[in-house]
Amino acid sequence: MKRRQLIGYGLTGAASTAALTACAQQSTAPSAAGDGEALPTVRWKMATSWPKSLDTLFGAAEIVCDRIAAMTDGRFTIEPYAGGEIVPPLQVLDAVEEGSMECGHSASYYYVGKSAALAFGTTVPFGLNAQQQNAWLYHGGGLELMQKLYATFNTINFPAGNTGVQMGGWFKKEINTAADLQGLKMRIPGLGGQVMAKLGVNVQNLPGSEIFLALERGAIDAAEWVGPYDDEKLGLQKAAQFYYYPGWWEPGPSFDMLINLDAWNSLPALYQEIVKTACMESNISTLAKYDAVNGAALQSLLAANVQIKPFSNEILAAAEKAAFEIYEENASQDADFKEIYDQWVSFRTSIYGWNRINELGFASFSNQAT
């Protein structure tokens, strides 16, 4: 399949409205190709990595499904399932790749065992925040690179959610120096986990539904998840006292709609454009919701006597050094990683230079204590 067929985002809002209005007005809507055939009824199932209790993460998948159904007048529906209902939470890509599920909603960095380069589709330590990540994916060549990589797993991806900069996780004891990380058992996925391992942490990758019990029962000493709103829903504040920031390993994590390529290619062109539009809506709406709800949740945690603490500069510097050593090592050994990393790091340098002037310049003044 030609890469431009995988990447196109040419459907404008006006074209979408006109096409969808036509669908709603006709009981036998013509196909996008204009051959007079009715658009088909399509019924898919979606595996996700999320528990239903998290209305933000599972909700990101629901937005995609709900909007696709609405924009096709119910002709194309997708039923989302919580992690573990049909497919284990960390095996969504496997199910989509083999075709046992038409689609999924997950985080690409869960699958770095398949390819370390998949991490860029979600986030990497000391990488891009949500705004920068969207700029890279939509207008910086990032999505084209990620779709090229995903195609090797018989899958196409579209960004469909983002949390914004995350918190640095829950710890049962204070962490003041890099030496304090030695021997710590911590739940942390992706390349962030590899950085922590390099700093002496015993890393574990657990799905969200298992974190609370593991932390409460002492199977792990620390865990990162998302941020105040989701973390409070999981009850992590009842299992650990110290809540660190920032989440340097997840500055702007994207979540993906994953679609089996054979299933994708079977869709009419109009349905494909609707999927892209629904995913983009989920990507924007999910980030907006997190920004809207995290402030109140943080105040709730503070009222529960949670101790909010910053990582020390020593820890941040050690982690950043380890992160870029890992990137360079992977790039020297893995052609897929090198292709994405070289382009990504160039984009990162450029957008950091711009945001240092506009975003940081404004935030440095406006956030000063008065």
Side-chain angles (χ1 to χ4, degrees), residues 99-261:
S100 61
M101 299 293 292
E102 294 92 353
C103 63
H105 192 273
S106 190
S108 66
Y109 68 177
Y110 288 154
Y111 311 105
V112 293
K114 289 177 174 288
S115 169
L118 283 170
F120 289 100
T122 301
T123 188
V124 297
F126 301 98
L128 307 176
N129 66 23
Q131 184 169 313
Q132 295 165 342
Q133 177 81 347
N134 282 337
W136 179 63
L137 288 169
Y138 292 131
H139 296 286
L143 185 55
E144 181 178 3
L145 288 168
M146 294 311 303
Q147 288 182 336
K148 178 183 176 182
L149 177 61
Y150 264 117
T152 65
F153 301 104
N154 195 36
T155 297
I156 184 172
N157 72 299
F158 298 99
N162 196 303
T163 70
V165 182
Q166 295 192 1
M167 288 291 285
W170 298 86
F171 293 76
K172 287 180 172 290
K173 66 175 185 178
E174 290 190 65
I175 305 297
N176 297 311
T177 68
D180 292 334
L181 296 171
Q182 294 290 323
L184 203 70
K185 294 175 292 186
M186 183 175 183
R187 183 272 177 195
I188 177 172
L191 296 186
Q194 293 183 19
V195 172
M196 279 297 202
K198 192 164 186 175
L199 297 179
V201 173
N202 179 0
V203 170
Q204 300 185 36
N205 190 10
L206 302 173
S209 58
E210 298 179 16
I211 296 174
F212 173 76
L213 284 179
L215 191 59
E216 182 189 46
R217 295 175 180 178
I220 55 177
D221 306 307
E224 68 80 41
W225 181 235
V226 178
Y229 185 74
D230 281 351
D231 292 7
E232 186 178 34
K233 278 183 172 289
L234 289 185
L236 300 184
Q237 73 279 7
K238 301 174 184 176
Q241 181 182 9
F242 301 101
Y243 198 23
Y244 277 83
Y245 69 91
W248 48 264
W249 51 80
E250 297 193 65
S254 299
F255 303 106
D256 278 331
M257 169 78 159
L258 306 175
I259 305 173
N260 176 273
L261 266 178

Side-chain angles (χ1 to χ4, degrees), residues 21-367:
T21 300
C23 286
Q25 292 175 344
Q26 299 181 45
S27 59
T28 55
S31 70
D35 57 10
E37 294 181 4
L39 289 166
T41 296
V42 178
R43 302 286 182 261
W44 282 4
K45 294 180 180 179
M46 173 194 282
T48 79
S49 296
W50 327 118
K52 288 184 178 179
S53 59
L54 297 181
D55 60 314
T56 40
L57 285 175
F58 190 78
E62 290 181 309
I63 290 171
V64 175
C65 299
D66 290 346
R67 296 303 294 144
I68 288 173
M71 289 191 284
T72 62
D73 197 25
R75 291 184 177 89
F76 182 9
T77 61
I78 303 175
E79 181 71 22
Y81 291 86
E85 279 193 279
I86 297 180
V87 174
L90 304 184
Q91 295 178 27
V92 173
L93 177 56
D94 303 81
V96 172
E97 178 182 5
E98 68 187 22
S100 61
M101 299 293 292
E102 294 92 353
C103 63
H105 192 273
S106 190
S108 66
Y109 68 177
Y110 288 154
Y111 311 105
V112 293
K114 289 177 174 288
S115 169
L118 283 170
F120 289 100
T122 301
T123 188
V124 297
F126 301 98
L128 307 176
N129 66 23
Q131 184 169 313
Q132 295 165 342
Q133 177 81 347
N134 282 337
W136 179 63
L137 288 169
Y138 292 131
H139 296 286
L143 185 55
E144 181 178 3
L145 288 168
M146 294 311 303
Q147 288 182 336
K148 178 183 176 182
L149 177 61
Y150 264 117
T152 65
F153 301 104
N154 195 36
T155 297
I156 184 172
N157 72 299
F158 298 99
N162 196 303
T163 70
V165 182
Q166 295 192 1
M167 288 291 285
W170 298 86
F171 293 76
K172 287 180 172 290
K173 66 175 185 178
E174 290 190 65
I175 305 297
N176 297 311
T177 68
D180 292 334
L181 296 171
Q182 294 290 323
L184 203 70
K185 294 175 292 186
M186 183 175 183
R187 183 272 177 195
I188 177 172
L191 296 186
Q194 293 183 19
V195 172
M196 279 297 202
K198 192 164 186 175
L199 297 179
V201 173
N202 179 0
V203 170
Q204 300 185 36
N205 190 10
L206 302 173
S209 58
E210 298 179 16
I211 296 174
F212 173 76
L213 284 179
L215 191 59
E216 182 189 46
R217 295 175 180 178
I220 55 177
D221 306 307
E224 68 80 41
W225 181 235
V226 178
Y229 185 74
D230 281 351
D231 292 7
E232 186 178 34
K233 278 183 172 289
L234 289 185
L236 300 184
Q237 73 279 7
K238 301 174 184 176
Q241 181 182 9
F242 301 101
Y243 198 23
Y244 277 83
Y245 69 91
W248 48 264
W249 51 80
E250 297 193 65
S254 299
F255 303 106
D256 278 331
M257 169 78 159
L258 306 175
I259 305 173
N260 176 273
L261 266 178
D262 297 323
W264 173 254
N265 291 334
S266 73
L267 292 176
L270 179 60
Y271 284 5
Q272 290 181 344
E273 295 299 334
I274 287 170
V275 169
K276 295 174 188 177
T277 301
C279 288
M280 187 173 287
E281 179 176 332
S282 178
N283 198 36
I284 295 169
S285 180
T286 303
L287 175 61
K289 181 173 181 179
Y290 271 113
D291 281 339
V293 300
N294 271 326
L298 178 62
Q299 293 305 309
S300 176
L301 292 174
L302 289 170
N305 297 318
V306 168
Q307 297 192 44
I308 311 291
K309 290 183 171 292
F311 284 120
S312 67
N313 285 338
E314 177 191 336
I315 290 175
L316 292 173
E320 184 179 41
K321 179 176 182 293
F324 280 87
E325 288 174 351
I326 289 171
Y327 302 156
E328 294 295 338
E329 181 180 353
N330 281 333
S332 69
Q333 300 172 359
D334 183 335
D336 289 333
F337 191 98
K338 177 175 174 55
E339 180 182 18
I340 295 175
Y341 174 67
D342 285 350
Q343 194 271 358
W344 174 90
V345 78
S346 176
F347 183 88
R348 177 184 183 273
T349 299
S350 175
I351 201 164
Y352 267 37
W354 163 231
N355 287 168
R356 192 175 294 114
I357 300 299
N358 69 329
E359 298 283 351
L360 183 60
F362 174 74
S364 294
F365 175 79
S366 62
N367 290 321

